[in-house]
Amino acid sequence: MQILLATTNEGKVRELRKLLEDFRVEIISLKDVSIKFDVKEDRSTFLENALKKAKEYALYYSIPVVADDSGLVVDALGSMPGVYSARFYEIEFGGKVEDQAKTTDQKNIQKVLKLMEGEKNRSAKFVSCVVFYSPEGWGLFAEGECMGEITEYPQGNKGFGYDPIFKPEGYDRTMAQLDIDEKNRISHRGRAFSKLSEKLSKIIT
Amino acid sequence: MQILLATTNEGKVRELRKLLEDFRVEIISLKDVSIKFDVKEDRSTFLENALKKAKEYALYYSIPVVADDSGLVVDALGSMPGVYSARFYEIEFGGKVEDQAKTTDQKNIQKVLKLMEGEKNRSAKFVSCVVFYSPEGWGLFAEGECMGEITEYPQGNKGFGYDPIFKPEGYDRTMAQLDIDEKNRISHRGRAFSKLSEKLSKIIT
């Protein structure tokens, strides 16, 4: 059985391969398909975005697809950036950040830190939803969370996205200061993928 | 294990009980819960509506929930009534139907037949999406379809909804002229529920 992981991120591909290594499943990624197209993530929840992506790719390529959508949810910002996590810097909420010299990650982080200036309640969570969609018209999904808080300034250079300003519960380091194995064990995405692969393994074998 | 079926329709409850009778699962319905509330089905797809309903009830009542959303998709009407199937008569598309003397089903049917007057392409399908959502943050879903065509006038008095004007492929009678067992075997909802319970049985046992 072949499964398409809807990503071009080799790290995610390796991770899913590891989780499903006991099963006769071959994981390919969007790097391995010849005709490429993007699916617009325009839904209001992570689960709906992941579902939309998995379904559109599965029906187009006629193979089972695993897709995920993840983001940061900050209590004091009314659950923002949420589904806007990847492009938080450019949405109207809280003002846009325009700085050509910075990467998208840096602009997103700058905006969150600015909006959180002086804020006492720094509670936040990373949320990940991962969906398996079979072109036979059925599927599985799992959600994973990682509770934590927003730091006062960025620390660490591992990981990506908001990792440098997110300190997981029970840790005195940010997500960007953790080794990849440790991050995968406690991260929202790691938890969602483990949950999904545990259920999936019971169905596809 | 107890599962809440998000419906007050006893027919659906009986059907799911039958499909899961080999497993140690007790099916209860919204009739059996004390605090009742409605979930607004405001999404743009059947799957997203069913997912939203299943998730909101599961998180509120803290038990696994099965929810479905279904409807009629007519090719010549640009896939309408779709997610508006239950209240097609009152939406702007194609003009509202106001007739106090008629039931909702009758008004919806009247509108579809009027919009289909003189239309040669009468292809349509019933679509059903059913979702199992566990409060542990994972779930399963399945989609079922029943291809067919829109008749020129209503026939039969079994079933409900658009059944009297829908003739399934390979049949010379409408869905409203079929016995309940025959309908369940070929219907969109029957197919979706069988697919879901087949997968679910591998996970929950």
Side-chain angles (χ1 to χ4, degrees):
Chain A
M1 185 189 193
Q2 220 182 28
I3 294 178
L4 171 67
L5 184 60
T7 185
T8 52
N9 181 325
E10 281 303 321
K12 286 192 194 177
V13 177
R14 268 197 305 276
E15 197 180 332
L16 190 64
R17 277 198 187 123
K18 206 171 155 58
L19 286 165
L20 290 175
E21 67 188 352
D22 294 338
F23 309 98
R24 275 170 301 180
V25 169
E26 184 197 352
I27 309 291
I28 62 169
S29 82
L30 289 176
K31 280 192 173 167
D32 306 309
V33 299
S34 47
I35 305 164
K36 299 180 199 298
F37 67 101
D38 276 332
V39 174
K40 208 171 164 192
E41 299 179 16
D42 55 3
R43 297 304 202 238
S44 56
T45 67
F46 299 117
L47 187 50
E48 287 171 359
N49 273 333
L51 190 63
K52 184 185 177 196
K53 210 157 48 170
K55 183 170 179 173
E56 288 194 24
Y57 283 124
L59 296 185
Y60 186 83
Y61 296 118
S62 296
I63 65 165
V65 170
V66 168
D68 74 315
D69 192 35
S70 314
L72 177 69
V73 172
V74 182
D75 286 1
L77 301 181
S79 297
M80 282 284 188
V83 289
Y84 305 104
S85 291
R87 52 185 195 86
F88 190 46
Y89 77 92
E90 65 172 13
I91 70 167
E92 294 294 340
F93 177 93
K96 298 183 188 190
V97 175
E98 277 159 35
D99 185 341
Q100 302 291 336
K102 291 189 169 167
T103 65
T104 298
D105 281 353
Q106 287 168 337
K107 285 185 276 190
N108 284 332
I109 284 177
Q110 178 186 327
K111 181 161 170 177
V112 169
L113 288 182
K114 187 156 188 303
L115 292 173
M116 291 293 284
E117 258 172 28
E119 175 60 54
K120 289 264 165 30
N121 175 11
R122 307 198 69 87
S123 302
K125 61 182 174 183
F126 271 133
V127 178
S128 175
C129 288
V130 51
V131 173
F132 167 89
Y133 188 96
S134 159
E136 289 161 9
W138 66 275
L140 259 170
F141 57 89
E143 299 167 301
E145 288 186 355
C146 179
M147 311 302 288
E149 56 185 50
I150 302 300
T151 57
E152 301 282 344
Y153 53 91
Q155 297 163 70
N157 50 23
K158 293 168 191 156
F160 59 93
Y162 298 94
D163 285 352
I165 58 165
F166 185 85
K167 203 169 66 176
E169 222 170 63
Y171 283 77
D172 55 4
R173 289 166 297 163
T174 68
M175 204 75 121
Q177 293 174 303
L178 300 183
D179 290 331
I180 180 72
D181 283 344
E182 190 158 14
K183 179 184 167 184
N184 281 343
R185 204 170 52 243
I186 65 153
S187 83
H188 49 309
R189 191 178 293 106
R191 284 174 177 155
F193 270 100
S194 320
K195 223 188 275 186
L196 185 88
S197 51
E198 184 216 323
K199 310 297 178 192
L200 190 57
S201 64
K202 292 186 183 167
I203 294 186
I204 61 175
T205 49
Chain B
M1 185 191 195
Q2 221 182 26
I3 294 177
L4 171 66
L5 182 60
T7 185
T8 52
N9 181 324
E10 281 303 322
K12 286 192 194 178
V13 177
R14 266 197 306 276
E15 197 180 333
L16 190 63
R17 277 196 187 125
K18 205 169 156 59
L19 286 165
L20 291 175
E21 66 189 351
D22 294 340
F23 309 98
R24 273 170 301 180
V25 169
E26 184 196 352
I27 310 292
I28 63 169
S29 81
L30 289 176
K31 279 192 174 167
D32 305 310
V33 298
S34 47
I35 305 165
K36 298 178 200 299
F37 68 100
D38 275 333
V39 175
K40 208 172 165 193
E41 300 179 15
D42 54 3
R43 296 304 201 236
S44 56
T45 66
F46 299 118
L47 187 50
E48 286 170 1
N49 273 332
L51 191 62
K52 185 185 177 196
K53 210 157 49 170
K55 182 170 179 173
E56 288 193 22
Y57 284 124
L59 296 184
Y60 186 83
Y61 297 118
S62 296
I63 64 164
V65 170
V66 168
D68 74 316
D69 191 37
S70 315
L72 177 69
V73 172
V74 182
D75 286 1
L77 301 181
S79 298
M80 282 284 188
V83 289
Y84 305 105
S85 291
R87 52 186 194 86
F88 190 46
Y89 76 95
E90 64 172 15
I91 70 167
E92 293 294 339
F93 177 93
K96 299 183 186 188
V97 175
E98 278 159 35
D99 185 340
Q100 303 291 335
K102 291 188 170 168
T103 66
T104 298
D105 281 353
Q106 288 168 336
K107 284 186 275 190
N108 284 331
I109 285 178
Q110 178 187 326
K111 181 160 169 178
V112 169
L113 289 182
K114 187 156 186 306
L115 293 173
M116 292 292 283
E117 258 172 28
E119 176 60 53
K120 289 262 163 36
N121 175 11
R122 308 197 69 87
S123 302
K125 60 182 174 184
F126 270 132
V127 178
S128 175
C129 289
V130 52
V131 173
F132 168 90
Y133 189 96
S134 158
E136 290 161 7
W138 66 275
L140 258 172
F141 57 88
E143 299 167 301
E145 288 187 355
C146 179
M147 311 302 288
E149 56 186 49
I150 303 300
T151 56
E152 300 283 344
Y153 52 91
Q155 297 163 69
N157 50 23
K158 294 168 191 156
F160 59 94
Y162 297 94
D163 286 352
I165 59 165
F166 185 85
K167 200 169 68 175
E169 222 169 63
Y171 282 76
D172 55 5
R173 289 165 297 164
T174 68
M175 204 76 121
Q177 292 175 305
L178 301 182
D179 289 330
I180 180 71
D181 283 343
E182 191 159 15
K183 178 184 168 185
N184 281 344
R185 205 169 52 242
I186 65 153
S187 83
H188 50 309
R189 192 176 293 106
R191 283 174 177 157
F193 270 100
S194 320
K195 225 188 272 185
L196 186 89
S197 50
E198 184 216 321
K199 310 297 178 193
L200 191 58
S201 63
K202 292 185 183 169
I203 294 186
I204 60 175
T205 48

